[in-house]
Amino acid sequence: MEMDFDQLRAAMVAELQEQGIRDTAVLQAMNTVPREHFVPDEYLEYAYYNGPVPLPAKQTISQPFVVALMLAALKLKPHFNLLEIGTGSGYAAAVASLLVRQVHTIERQAKLVQYAKIRLNQLGYANIAVHLGDGTLGWPAAAPYDAIVVAAGGPTVPVSLRNQLAVNGRLIIPVGTQKKQKLHLVWRKKDGRFGHKVLTPVRFVPLIGREGWDEGD
Ligand code: SAH
């Protein structure tokens, strides 16, 4: 059976709205990005399922609701320079790219970097730079960032990431154990100090790196 992806996408966005996502720019971006191109072929029927979907290398493409929640919490503006840690499929980067001027996204798995680059290129996303590396250290070359979104769960908020925030910049990251985390929102104030607020419980794959979990944990 042919699937009507435009209809499924609109239904997903309606569901996000019912779940409490109010940011109309985020909703519109999610109504634009063709998620069916980001899920592996064998999971095509789950392209617009509002839950995580498996990716290669034991990773997952995050639940649409959580992507929307995190991007909305960052209060994105069109001139923003945004950093994402955990490119995965590239889906969240694609959504973010419609909301800001420039996206830098870092992925530690070379295979995923390769796939994401090809996919984002083919779909014509021109304001996304995909980098291979340990995202817990950020990407100093393009800092400071007005917004940083971490798509994997760490034991703490990496200091390197915090320090790459612009004044008034916001960082959102799942912090907790390897199985359960809570979203933490951190922002840099004008006086150089940081504000910090704990939001809702979430479940992400582990953030592995120098300022995250050890590979073997
Ligand atoms: N945002 C993605 C989903 C990411 S899943 C999407 O929309 O599809 C989390 C990703 O974070 C995984 O691909 C994992 O390999 C990656 N990751 C984990 N630790 C990392 C680190 N220190 N630096 C960069 N990427 C990391």
Side-chain angles (χ1 to χ4, degrees):
M1 203 192 79
E2 242 337 71
M3 298 183 82
D4 184 344
F5 289 119
D6 293 343
Q7 197 185 327
L8 291 170
R9 193 178 310 114
M12 176 189 78
V13 170
E15 193 180 325
L16 295 175
Q17 233 164 341
E18 275 163 35
Q19 287 180 297
I21 304 296
R22 300 266 152 68
D23 188 316
T24 52
V26 169
L27 291 167
Q28 200 191 327
M30 292 185 72
N31 209 357
T32 306
V33 176
R35 204 164 192 270
E36 65 273 20
H37 290 291
F38 293 86
V39 299
D41 282 345
E42 61 267 43
Y43 294 106
L44 204 53
E45 59 184 305
Y46 296 105
Y48 290 96
Y49 161 68
N50 196 3
V53 176
L55 289 177
K58 288 205 281 179
Q59 302 305 322
T60 57
I61 169 168
S62 309
Q63 180 186 2
F65 175 69
V66 179
V67 173
L69 195 68
M70 291 174 94
L71 293 179
L74 292 171
K75 298 191 188 298
L76 301 177
K77 299 215 175 80
H79 67 273
F80 274 16
N81 183 31
L82 177 144
L83 177 68
E84 179 195 35
I85 317 304
T87 313
S89 67
Y91 173 74
V95 174
S97 79
L98 299 180
L99 299 164
V100 301
R101 178 178 54 81
Q102 179 67 41
V103 173
H104 288 273
T105 180
I106 315 177
E107 171 58 55
R108 64 183 288 272
Q109 304 221 39
K111 263 262 142 18
L112 294 175
V113 169
Q114 190 191 334
Y115 290 146
K117 274 189 178 167
I118 292 170
R119 185 178 291 127
L120 291 167
N121 238 331
Q122 280 174 345
L123 294 171
Y125 293 96
N127 60 337
I128 305 176
V130 185
H131 308 287
L132 173 66
D134 174 5
T136 65
L137 304 176
W139 192 259
Y145 301 98
D146 306 293
I148 302 179
V149 54
V150 184
T156 57
V157 177
V159 171
S160 299
L161 291 184
R162 228 180 57 167
N163 288 340
Q164 287 171 37
L165 279 177
V167 172
N168 292 327
R170 292 156 82 91
L171 155 68
I172 191 153
I173 175 172
V175 174
T177 66
Q178 292 212 9
K179 295 258 158 68
K180 287 164 78 172
Q181 309 91 27
K182 281 181 177 160
L183 286 181
H184 286 227
L185 184 67
V186 174
W187 60 97
R188 184 194 280 269
K189 301 182 193 173
K190 286 199 189 70
D191 64 7
R193 294 159 165 254
F194 294 94
H196 193 149
K197 197 162 136 188
V198 180
L199 310 174
T200 58
V202 286
R203 240 167 227 267
F204 275 81
V205 296
L207 178 69
I208 296 167
R210 282 265 297 283
E211 296 187 40
W213 300 103
D214 288 337
E215 183 123 35
D217 281 350

